[in-house]
Amino acid sequence: MSSAPEKKIWIVAAGTGGHIFPGLAIAKKMQEIAPQTRITFIGTKDRLEEKIVPKHGFEIKFLTAKQWKGKGVLARLSSLMALIKSTYLVWKMIPKEKPTALISVGGYVSMPVGIACWLRSKPIFLLEPNIRAGIANCVLSRFARRAFTVMGSDALKKFHCPTEESGNPVLGSFNVNPIRKEAKNLLILGGSQGARILCHVGLNAYNRLLNRGVKLNLFLQSGEKNLEDALEQKKSLKLHEECVVSSFIDDMPQKLEWADVIIARAGAMTLTELSLTQVPSILVPFPQAADDHQRVNAKLLAAEGAAIIVDEKEKDFEKKLEDQLYLLVAASNSYEYRKKMSENLGTFARPNAAQKIVSEIFAEL
């Protein structure tokens, strides 16, 4: 395949880590299989992709795109104008850039890029990483050749193009964690942008477990915007070297290998990484996620005994989080509990997702 003519692939993966990291995983796998492949990402300035994509050595171009869903009339009119303008700019860009195909992972900016590619008769492929398909990918599925998605996703029914369950591609090599008799390490993940309430409540619950005689190390990923508050709370609770607070995790596979138990949001990428490593987890769905998709994600795992859900909207949220954490790390049957949860979580793993997606796209092209 490496002797094939050079291909130039556009990838739209914008807004959140749940879009960006699967896009990067596809890009890296493409260059691994066909090193001559040229890849350009398209995103929105001042969003997460502006920082992350260049760090991985890929070119990124920026467009203006605005949220449509849930907005008032004036905001929707502004979004429509931005959509028309961006679609026209991409339509003009295509003859110069000559992309072979577009891969849309999601984000508002995928709509104008997808429409312009359709108008220029460029092949479109979709990756839907969420249980509830995003509105942009749903629209673009009418023009796409093929789509890939995760177990349980409504994209399998909603999309208008051939759609298959491939799993979610990930960056890095994730190995199955051994379930240790004694749980020593707790990892709290706020997602790609952090989660203030998880930082606050997680630190309090951890501190109370220490006061109950439970020996546990903590690594807290706070996100940049919550770092200062989290460090201040750590200081006020008089936590020391057993508690580490960091804004970001550069090597997620290594950190997941360290962990015995995880508290996390329920974004698609987080759940994919958990399924590959099979680390027992307590999931706290982000209540403002689009279409409440994180709760749907979490319920899919919880229904199979593969995770625990704790709802932050409940008034006794903090106490419930502490109680569930105690059951996983300190109860008399915690080892058996974690071992069974890990086994159940493994049924969701799709370790060869990137290979499958890239191979099928290249076969189409």
Side-chain angles (χ1 to χ4, degrees):
M1 193 167 290
S2 61
S3 61
E6 180 183 87
K7 296 178 178 65
K8 181 163 188 179
I9 306 296
W10 279 0
I11 299 178
V12 183
T16 69
H19 291 147
I20 299 162
F21 290 113
L24 286 167
I26 290 174
K28 287 180 180 288
K29 181 59 68 172
M30 281 187 158
Q31 291 194 329
E32 177 186 320
I33 293 175
Q36 77 283 2
T37 304
R38 296 172 58 209
I39 294 170
T40 299
F41 280 78
I42 300 178
T44 308
K45 211 165 181 60
D46 300 323
R47 298 296 300 274
L48 202 57
E49 58 267 25
E50 183 180 11
K51 294 181 179 179
I52 294 177
V53 170
K55 285 183 179 180
H56 288 267
F58 293 104
E59 176 189 25
I60 183 167
K61 296 181 180 294
F62 299 105
L63 291 172
T64 300
K66 299 179 181 179
Q67 184 177 358
W68 174 272
K69 192 172 182 179
K71 297 293 185 178
V73 175
L74 290 178
R76 287 196 174 197
L77 182 61
S78 175
S79 297
L80 178 61
M81 296 304 294
L83 172 64
I84 293 171
K85 180 180 178 180
S86 293
T87 300
Y88 176 67
L89 290 174
V90 178
W91 185 81
K92 285 179 60 181
M93 189 191 309
I94 289 173
K96 179 182 177 182
E97 297 288 328
K98 295 182 173 61
T100 307
L102 168 70
I103 301 172
S104 169
V105 186
Y108 306 125
V109 73
S110 61
M111 189 79 83
V113 182
I115 292 173
C117 284
W118 171 64
L119 291 172
R120 291 288 192 182
S121 300
K122 296 296 179 180
I124 299 171
F125 299 90
L126 308 178
L127 170 62
E128 180 48 63
N130 290 307
I131 297 293
R132 287 189 173 173
I135 188 171
N137 272 353
C138 282
V139 173
L140 294 180
S141 71
R142 295 181 178 275
F143 317 125
R145 283 196 184 182
R146 183 180 292 272
F148 306 90
T149 192
V150 294
M151 181 187 294
S153 175
D154 62 5
L156 293 163
K157 294 182 178 179
K158 280 187 174 182
F159 281 6
H160 300 274
C161 63
T163 305
E164 61 182 296
E165 182 211 308
S166 62
N168 211 0
V170 296
L171 278 176
S173 178
F174 291 83
N175 300 312
V176 176
N177 255 23
I179 300 300
R180 293 175 274 264
K181 283 279 187 180
E182 183 181 354
K184 296 181 178 180
N185 300 323
L186 170 64
L187 176 62
I188 300 180
L189 301 172
S192 57
Q193 301 179 68
R196 186 175 183 275
I197 192 166
L198 283 192
C199 295
H200 179 74
V201 172
L203 281 168
N204 283 341
Y206 169 73
N207 184 58
R208 283 196 296 272
L209 286 184
L210 292 182
N211 293 334
R212 292 168 65 177
V214 178
K215 293 182 179 179
L216 204 60
N217 301 308
L218 170 64
F219 189 100
L220 170 66
Q221 180 229 332
S222 65
E224 190 65 43
K225 61 185 177 182
N226 303 315
L227 180 61
E228 188 175 336
D229 287 344
L231 288 172
E232 186 62 36
Q233 185 179 357
K234 173 187 172 179
K235 182 179 179 181
S236 69
L237 293 173
K238 298 181 180 179
L239 299 172
H240 303 293
E241 66 276 359
E242 74 277 6
C243 172
V244 176
V245 176
S246 178
S247 62
F248 194 74
I249 296 174
D250 291 318
D251 191 343
M252 188 61 75
Q254 183 182 55
K255 191 53 64 179
L256 290 177
E257 185 177 343
W258 171 86
D260 292 299
V261 175
I262 292 174
I263 298 173
R265 289 304 197 191
M269 183 52 61
T270 296
L271 299 195
T272 297
E273 293 169 350
L274 291 179
S275 71
L276 292 172
T277 55
Q278 298 177 216
V279 183
S281 61
I282 299 171
L283 301 177
V284 184
F286 178 47
Q288 277 76 53
D291 297 320
D292 204 20
H293 71 265
Q294 286 204 9
R295 189 176 307 279
V296 179
N297 290 347
K299 283 184 174 180
L300 183 68
L301 267 63
E304 301 299 325
I308 297 167
I309 301 177
V310 179
D311 191 341
E312 73 174 64
K313 290 185 176 180
E314 296 185 39
K315 62 180 180 181
D316 54 350
F317 163 54
E318 192 166 321
K319 180 65 167 59
K320 284 190 174 181
L321 186 69
E322 179 188 347
D323 290 344
Q324 292 297 335
L325 184 56
Y326 182 87
L327 289 175
L328 283 174
V329 303
S332 59
N333 66 337
S334 65
Y335 170 68
E336 290 78 12
Y337 191 15
R338 285 182 285 112
K339 189 174 181 181
K340 185 60 177 175
M341 187 181 295
S342 175
E343 291 170 357
N344 294 336
L345 191 54
T347 64
F348 291 87
R350 300 293 183 271
N352 299 315
Q355 177 74 43
K356 178 181 179 63
I357 292 168
V358 171
S359 295
E360 294 198 21
I361 289 175
F362 277 162
E364 289 268 349
L365 297 176

